[in-house]
């Protein structure tokens, strides 16, 4: 009555009345039938109506009212199971019983369906009904598995046997539905367990995992699963994921090692576990007995402890009286701090019960072991191969949870295969009667050891990690770990074929660098996942490092393929509307979409390259604080860890501290305290275990290194409070900071427009490229710079024009400046110290960037640099530096700048059109930088400040020769021999061309040999002091003789003949001896060069004469006393011009001297015969100097006046 009243409060009375009436009409027990269940007249219709109520009301309205009413009325145990028990096994042809049984199955499947609801989907009715329905489902499972009269599972399987017997292509949709219903019901029975959240006291004996396995074995359900799995792909197709779900819920949480243990081994293992628990309890009691209360401390104790800054702490208990250390420890025990928890993703709260260990009875272990062995032998490859293909095709029946189950079961069965082989080897070693494993037993699991399976696994792990699906990542890590261990067992197989296959698998696994990177990332980024994730992560890192180290030692030339993202192309913005204002047409929009898709594909492309693998370098990636924190988090559970887990942590810390010599990372207060508590703490490891001895030695050696490091680096005491970054680790190990080389940024290659286009077209192409890339701001900045430069340049031009007009009116025009301006049009041709160069430098307009982004673009954006170059901008520095300045040279007038500005504006308003299928990018190319030949030159060529590179082309490949060439005579002899030889046979055209080609090739080879022989000798590297001394002595003698002839000519009075006649006579005497031995062509080339230099010297001398004559009105007439600042403007028609003619030849000689060798002016002018003794001058320097009678030297300067 209380339940009915409670049911009226949560479920509507009308719904309850309809459901109860249908349940009553099904049938019941009576006294006439001796307690046997009797079906009602409309039992089949009532079953169908109940199914409609479940589907129409509960499923559509997302309520559980009907399911609650059916649970209250005890429909399953009171009616459905009794109806199924009425169908005897020998009545195979009874169609009516079969239909009623199918209707019962259609009701049992939704009533036993797992109810997994998220908190966001829970409603008021869910909170009311779920606890009761969970309890009801447990009772359903207990009744189904432990029915007193009938094997319910076997009866339900009989419903689908006719459908299963049909070939796959002859089955109808009804047959497929019946098979799926049976498998879904078996899945539901495997899932149902006592929920931990239900507070009701529910007995777990009849619904445990062992009871389920025993029932599945006794009712032949395991054989059914084996039959369907082994026939997957042949007789069954869409049932693969359902079978996978059943296997997952049957096998999850079961320890594989215990399944393949014998009863004796299992009992020994249980006794060892019990003994370990007793040891732990005894150690806990010992630690408690030290401070346990005695009969004499019944009275309370409270003491005060004085602390720093006159603060007082209160501690209670007599154990605090023993020593100050115990008092402080008790204060620490009373401290409580609740660390704030970060808000986690709701998906992280989903529980993964695969880590919960499930204990099995002996009978369940025996049945499961038989099933697993048969499954591995016959059904593993077909089932998992078919599911893998479905995952690759992304079939609709494959859900996200099925992928996790797939990889979890792969790891479970691979571990079972390894345990089976290990148990077989152990029994064989003990001389027991056991059949040996087949030699090709590894072929039974070959479907998960293919390259396709590895690719699927890596993609699943990466997608799960990116989506923060930690349970899926854990399943993938376990699968990869078991694959590595299985391959390791294959490599140790006595069969050579297995060893070869294992070698190939390892080479494929270790070839991809992305696999190594993913493992490092998983270990380094562990934060707040569950313990199962931590265990799987550290196990994978341990196995992977150990196997990779062994493999790299065996394969020294190991190669890995590294994948990097290719350079991404930026998407083009949508084209602007045309002049009429219409948007682009539909066809253009489709073309734009296709281009965007192609660009997305290009962005997804990756570049791969092979490189040699270095294990030490890879292992160093684990020597980071994140990896140490992960293994430290596992070590904190040392009291609950197994021997394998403790060994895993020990090996990692040993690798960090001693193999990689990175013990500084472990020098942290919490790590040191944990290691000390493991050895000397109250809850330390068992001293009798082998793990204790290993950890004791590790901690002892690590503490010795810690003390030694603190003595060397006292600052480590402070750094022990914090985690270490790479720079801190390097400093603590070496005592100084690591020096990093700053790599200078490299500018992109310069671009140029393909030749054959006018300037306006080139500017239009550059502007079009910038606009297509969305850089309209850069184009606007160039326009602003040009506008500012135009205004500045126009004001300079107007000022200069006004100044010239004023000078013409005053008659003070500077002729020398005009001549220099005419000769030097640009700053690149100016003498570096001339006044015109300084003036031109002042006229240059500096290009100023408006922001930091523009400054970087001027260095990195080669399209912007192309437009800047086209409009006339010029970079000052030769080396391409990001801080280099750009200018607008003074040679570009304001009109030129205005034209460039108009071109830019025109290209911006009306972009150029190109041929069909081409864009503006197709008309630009990389600018070819010519290779500068490395020229060797001597001091003679540098005397005037420049090098004449034309001298390199004056002589034939062999260089100048001093003897007469015999080439003409050799040519005549060759022609005569050819004529005599070919008199009898006339050569064809092909033969003549072949001979001509052979002669050209021979001539090229000869010239190459001559060049090599000319410039390269073996003796160039040898040192011969005697030869060098003779050479310099001859050169010194030649220089002195030349100086004597020059002075002799000057003393004979040839100065009055004029400058041209003097230089002609000097040339005849100085160069006459060498000119006789040269060919006429070389003499003409040398004369042309000398005439060019002489013409330039004459112009500068005349300019210097005019300036000197004007400046000598009230001072000495010596031209060397005047400089650029003392020059005054004097017209050419000045009367002083005639009076300066007698001294022009003297100043011409001086000017020639200045241009040829300015450093020798004072010494030659001051010397008579003393010039012969000057040995510090450069060899071959010749100059025309004024006689000593016409000038005196004082302090290196020429003084004409009598006074100094």
């Amino acid at each position: 009555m209380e339940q009915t009243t409670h049911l009226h409060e949560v479920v509507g009375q009308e719904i309850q009345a309809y459901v109860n009436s249908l349940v009553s009409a099904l049938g019941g027990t009576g006294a006439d039938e001796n307690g046997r269940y009797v079906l009602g007249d409309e039992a089949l219709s009532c079953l169908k109506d109940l199914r409609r109520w479940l589907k129409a009301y509960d499923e559509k309205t997302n309520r559980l009212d009907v399911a609650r009413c059916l649970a209250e009325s005890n429909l399953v145990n009171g009616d459905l199971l009794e109806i199924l028990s009425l169908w005897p096994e020998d009545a195979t042809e009874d169609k009516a019983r079969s239909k009623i049984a199918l209707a019962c199955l259609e009701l049992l499947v939704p009533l036993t369906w797992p109810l997994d609801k998220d908190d966001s989907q829970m409603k008021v009715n869910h909170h009311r009904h779920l606890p009761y329905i969970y309890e009801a489902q447990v009772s359903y499972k207990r009744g189904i598995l432990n029915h007193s009269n009938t094997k319910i599972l076997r009866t339900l399987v009989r419903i689908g046997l006719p459908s299963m017997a049909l070939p796959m292509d002859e089955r109808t949709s009804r047959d497929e539905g019946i098979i799926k219903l049976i498998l879904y019901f078996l899945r539901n029975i495997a899932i149902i367990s006592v929920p931990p959240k239900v507070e009701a006291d529910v007995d777990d004996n009849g619904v445990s995992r062992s009871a389920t396995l025993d029932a599945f074995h006794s009712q032949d359900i395991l054989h059914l699963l084996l039959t369907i799995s082994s026939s997957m792909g042949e007789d069954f197709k869409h049932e693969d994921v359902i079978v996978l779900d059943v296997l997952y819920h049957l096998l999850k949480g079961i320890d594989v090692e215990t399944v393949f243990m014998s009863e004796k081994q299992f009992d020994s293992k249980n006794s060892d576990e019990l003994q370990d628990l007793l040891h732990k309890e005894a150690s806990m009691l010992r630690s408690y007995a030290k401070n346990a209360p005695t009969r004499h401390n019944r009275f309370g104790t409270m003491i005060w402890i004085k602390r720093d800054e006159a603060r007082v702490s209160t501690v209670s208990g007599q154990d605090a009286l023993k020593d100050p250390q115990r008092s402080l420890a008790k204060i620490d025990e009373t401290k409580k701090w609740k660390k704030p928890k970060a808000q986690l993703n709701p998906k992280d709260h989903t529980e993964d019960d695969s880590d919960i260990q499930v204990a099995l009875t002996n009978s369940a272990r025996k049945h499961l072991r038989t099933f697993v062995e048969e499954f591995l032998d016959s059904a593993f490859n077909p089932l998992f191969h078919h599911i893998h293909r479905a995952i690759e095709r992304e079939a609709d029946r494959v859900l996200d949870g099925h992928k996790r189950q797939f990889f979890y079961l792969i790891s479970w069965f691979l571990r079972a295969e390894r345990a089976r082989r290990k148990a077989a080897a152990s029994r064989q070693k003990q001389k027991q009667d056991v059949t040996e494993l087949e030699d090709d037993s590894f072929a039974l699991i070959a479907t998960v050891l293919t390259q396709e399976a590895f690719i699927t696994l890596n993609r699943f792990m990466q997608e799960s990690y990116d989506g923060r699906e930690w349970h899926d990542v854990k399943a993938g890590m376990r699968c990869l770990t078991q694959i590595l261990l299985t391959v390791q067992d294959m490599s140790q197989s006595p069969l050579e074929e297995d060893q070869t296959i294992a070698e190939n698998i390892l080479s494929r696994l270790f070839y991809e660098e992305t696999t190594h990177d993913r493992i490092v990332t998983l270990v380094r980024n562990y934060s707040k996942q569950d313990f199962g994730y931590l265990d799987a992560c550290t196990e994978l890192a341990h196995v992977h490092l150990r196997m990779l180290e062994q493999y790299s030692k065996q394969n020294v030339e190991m190669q890995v393929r590294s994948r990097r993202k290719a350079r991404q192309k930026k998407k083009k913005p949508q084209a602007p509307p045309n002049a009429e204002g219409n948007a682009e047409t539909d066809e253009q929009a489709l073309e734009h979409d296709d281009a965007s898709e192609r660009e997305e594909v290009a962005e997804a492309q990756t570049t791969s390259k092979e490189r040699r693998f270095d294990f030490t370098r890879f292992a160093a990636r684990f020597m980071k604080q994140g990896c140490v924190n992960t293994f430290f988090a596992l070590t904190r559970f040392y009291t609950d860890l197994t021997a394998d887990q403790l060994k895993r942590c020990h090996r990692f810390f040993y690798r960090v501290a001693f193999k990689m010599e990175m013990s500084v990372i472990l020098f942290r207060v919490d790590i040191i305290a944990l290691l000390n508590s493991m050895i000397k703490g109250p809850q330390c490891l068992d001293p009798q275990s082998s793990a204790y001895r290993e950890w004791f030695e590790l901690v002892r050696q690590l503490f010795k290194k810690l003390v030694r490091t603190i003595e060397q680096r006292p600052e480590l005491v402070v750094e022990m409070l914090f985690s270490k970054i790479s720079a801190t680790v390097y400093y603590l190990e070496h005592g100084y900071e690591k020096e990093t080389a700053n790599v200078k940024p490299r500018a992109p290659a310069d671009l140029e427009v393909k030749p054959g286009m006018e300037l306006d077209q080139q500017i239009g192409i550059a502007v079009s490229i910038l606009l297509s890339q969305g850089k309209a701001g850069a184009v606007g900045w160039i326009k602003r710079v040009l506008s500012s430069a135009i205004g500045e340049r126009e004001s300079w031009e107007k000022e200069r024009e006004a100044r010239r007009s004023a000078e013409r009116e005053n008659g003070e025009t500077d002729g020398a400046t005009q001549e220099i301006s005419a000769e030097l049009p640009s700053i690149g041709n100016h003498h570096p110290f001339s006044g015109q160069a300084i003036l031109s430098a002042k006229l240059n307009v500096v290009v100023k960037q408006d922001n930091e982004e523009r400054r970087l673009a001027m260095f990195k954006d080669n399209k912007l640099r192309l437009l800047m170059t086209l409009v006339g901008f010029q970079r000052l520095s030769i080396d391409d530096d990001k801080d280099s300045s750009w200018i607008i040279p003074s040679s570009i007038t304001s009109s030129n700048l205005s034209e460039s500005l108009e071109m830019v504006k025109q290209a911006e308003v009306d972009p150029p059109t190109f041929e069909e299928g081409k864009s503006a990018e197709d008309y630009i190319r990389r600018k070819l930088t010519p290779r500068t030949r490395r020229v060797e030159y001597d001091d003679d060529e540098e005397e005037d400040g420049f090098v004449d590179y034309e001298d390199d082309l004056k002589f034939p490949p062999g260089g100048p020769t001093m003897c007469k060439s015999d080439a003409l005579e050799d040519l005549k002899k060759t022609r005569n021999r050819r004529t005599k030889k070919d008199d009898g046979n006339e050569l064809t055209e092909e033969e003549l061309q072949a001979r001509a080609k052979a002669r050209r090739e021979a001539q090229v080879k000869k010239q190459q040999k001559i060049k090599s022989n000319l410039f390269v000798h073996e003796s160039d590297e040898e040192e011969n002091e005697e030869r060098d001394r003779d050479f310099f002595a001859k050169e010194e003698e030649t220089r002195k003789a030349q100086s004597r002839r020059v002075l002799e000519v000057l003393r004979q009075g040839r100065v009055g003949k004029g400058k041209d006649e003097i230089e002609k006579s000097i040339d005849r005497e100085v160069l006459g001896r060498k000119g006789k031995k040269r060919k006429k062509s070389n003499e003409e080339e040398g004369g042309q060069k000398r005439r060019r230099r002489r013409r330039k010297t004459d112009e500068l001398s005349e300019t210097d004469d005019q300036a000197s004559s004007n400046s000598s009105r009230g001072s000495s007439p010596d031209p060397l006393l005047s400089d650029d600042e003392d020059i005054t403007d004097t017209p050419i028609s000045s009367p002083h011009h005639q009076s300066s003619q007698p001294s022009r030849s003297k100043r011409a000689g001086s000017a020639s001297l200045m241009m040829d060798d300015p450093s020798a002016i004072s010494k030659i002018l001051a010397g008579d015969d003393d010039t012969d003794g000057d040995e510090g001058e450069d060899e071959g320097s010749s100059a025309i100097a004024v006689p000593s009678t016409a000038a005196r030297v004082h302090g290196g300067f020429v003084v004409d006046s009598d006074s100094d």
Side-chain angles (χ1 to χ4, degrees), residues 246-519:
V246 176
L247 292 176
Y248 174 77
H249 290 95
L250 277 179
L251 302 177
K252 66 179 181 179
I254 296 178
D255 188 7
V256 181
E257 303 293 338
T258 60
V259 174
F260 289 91
M261 286 182 180
S262 61
E263 293 184 4
K264 183 178 180 180
Q265 291 175 342
F266 186 72
D267 294 339
S268 176
K269 179 179 179 295
N270 289 337
S271 63
D272 292 340
E273 291 180 354
L274 178 59
Q275 187 176 2
D276 293 340
L277 292 176
L278 291 176
H279 278 301
K280 289 183 179 179
E281 184 182 11
S283 70
M284 291 174 60
L285 292 176
R286 283 195 303 269
S287 62
Y288 176 72
K290 294 179 181 179
N291 303 315
T294 63
R295 57 181 298 189
H296 298 290
N297 63 354
R298 292 190 301 269
F299 303 100
T301 302
M302 180 176 292
I303 62 174
W304 288 352
I305 299 178
K306 292 184 178 180
R307 299 168 58 189
D308 298 337
E309 299 179 0
R311 289 183 297 177
V312 177
S313 298
T314 304
V315 182
S316 61
Q318 291 186 358
D319 54 344
L321 297 175
K322 291 184 178 180
D323 54 5
Q325 191 68 24
R326 180 59 191 170
S327 302
L328 295 175
K330 193 152 189 176
I331 293 178
D332 293 338
E333 292 175 0
T334 59
K335 294 178 180 178
K336 293 182 180 180
W337 178 62
K338 294 183 179 180
K339 185 178 181 180
K341 296 182 179 180
Q343 186 176 2
L344 299 178
N345 192 350
K347 294 184 292 185
D348 298 340
H349 294 287
T350 58
E351 296 181 357
D352 184 17
D353 52 358
S354 61
D355 296 326
I356 302 176
Q357 295 293 327
V358 178
L360 298 179
T361 60
N362 291 332
S363 60
R365 286 192 307 105
K366 182 180 178 180
H367 300 327
L368 181 61
R369 175 179 177 178
T370 304
F371 169 75
V372 171
E373 288 179 346
E374 293 178 357
F375 186 87
L376 287 171
D377 293 338
S378 61
F380 182 83
N381 278 342
L383 177 63
F384 283 89
H385 177 67
H386 199 269
I387 297 175
H388 177 254
R389 291 177 56 190
I391 292 175
E392 287 295 313
R393 293 194 305 267
E394 297 182 357
D396 295 336
R397 65 181 184 274
V398 179
L399 305 179
D400 294 336
H402 292 147
K403 295 181 182 179
R404 182 199 310 173
Q405 296 173 1
F406 174 73
F407 291 108
Y408 177 83
L409 287 179
I410 288 177
S411 65
W412 198 94
F413 280 108
L414 288 180
R415 190 175 179 183
E417 174 65 20
R418 293 175 52 245
R420 180 172 70 154
R421 296 177 64 85
K422 183 179 178 181
S426 174
R427 289 192 299 268
Q428 185 179 3
K429 187 176 180 180
Q430 296 175 2
K431 305 298 182 180
Q432 294 183 2
D433 185 13
V434 61
T435 58
E436 296 182 359
L437 290 176
E438 298 181 2
D439 293 340
D440 58 346
S441 58
F442 281 108
L444 301 176
I445 55 174
T447 186
V448 298
L449 300 178
T450 60
Q451 183 67 18
E452 292 79 6
F454 300 153
I455 294 174
T456 304
L457 174 60
N458 289 327
R459 182 170 62 248
F460 171 73
M461 291 179 64
Q462 189 62 43
E463 291 177 355
S464 302
Y465 181 80
D466 295 339
R468 300 178 63 85
E469 299 288 347
W470 304 124
H471 300 320
D472 295 350
V473 177
K474 177 171 58 178
M477 289 190 295
R478 283 176 172 165
C479 180
L480 181 57
T481 302
Q482 294 303 321
I483 288 175
L484 291 174
L485 293 174
T486 304
V487 175
Q488 184 182 19
D489 292 347
M490 290 179 63
S491 63
Q492 298 173 358
S493 173
L495 296 179
E496 185 178 356
E497 183 180 359
D498 289 343
Q499 296 177 7
T500 304
I501 295 174
E503 180 72 19
N504 294 334
I505 292 175
L506 285 179
S507 63
R508 291 196 299 267
L509 283 174
F510 295 151
Y511 180 65
E512 296 293 340
E513 190 182 24
T514 53
T515 304
H516 308 310
D517 297 341
R518 187 178 300 111
I519 294 175

Side-chain angles (χ1 to χ4, degrees), residues 210 408 424-425 528 712 715 824 838 863 909 1164:
S210 298
Y408 177 83
K528 297 179 181 179
Q712 297 175 358
E715 53 271 13
L824 306 174
I838 298 174
K863 277 80 172 181
V909 175
I1164 295 180

